[in-house]
Amino acid sequence: MSRLLQPPRRIEVRLDRRGRPTGLSHRGRFFEVRRVCRRWRVEEDWWRSPVARDYFEVETSGFVGVIFRDLAAGGWFLERVYD
């Protein structure tokens, strides 16, 4: 099971030199990213309002979930948490 967060929650993310997440802060708590399980990019709807996001499925010190970097508007977000 998973929980989709609507709207996605803004988070702060630490990156390594290759641009991979190594840690994130959410609601005042820091979580170490232990593993990036998958990474993918979504780019669509360019004719209306652009959507360009880099998604990461991550295993952290507190949860497993999906985060993304919004390339069009800027910022990092937590979108999904797995049970």
Side-chain angles (χ1 to χ4, degrees):
M1 294 283 294
S2 69
R3 185 172 44 142
L4 182 64
L5 305 175
Q6 287 295 338
R9 310 277 162 66
R10 184 172 284 276
I11 58 175
E12 297 295 323
V13 175
R14 289 187 193 167
L15 303 172
D16 67 11
R17 291 193 294 172
R18 295 172 64 185
R20 294 178 301 192
T22 60
L24 62 93
S25 295
H26 175 57
R27 293 187 173 178
R29 293 186 58 199
F30 177 78
F31 300 94
E32 175 188 352
V33 174
R34 294 182 175 159
R35 184 167 68 113
V36 174
C37 305
R38 289 190 309 146
R39 179 181 184 172
W40 67 98
R41 178 170 282 181
V42 171
E43 293 180 291
E44 57 187 32
D45 292 337
W46 54 268
W47 61 93
R48 286 186 270 164
S49 60
V51 174
R53 296 176 177 172
D54 281 336
Y55 281 89
F56 298 83
E57 185 176 67
V58 295
E59 178 185 319
T60 75
S61 54
F63 65 92
V64 176
V66 175
I67 64 174
F68 68 86
R69 179 175 56 177
D70 189 326
L71 301 170
W76 284 87
F77 297 87
L78 174 63
E79 181 176 79
R80 182 176 300 276
V81 176
Y82 296 103
D83 294 336

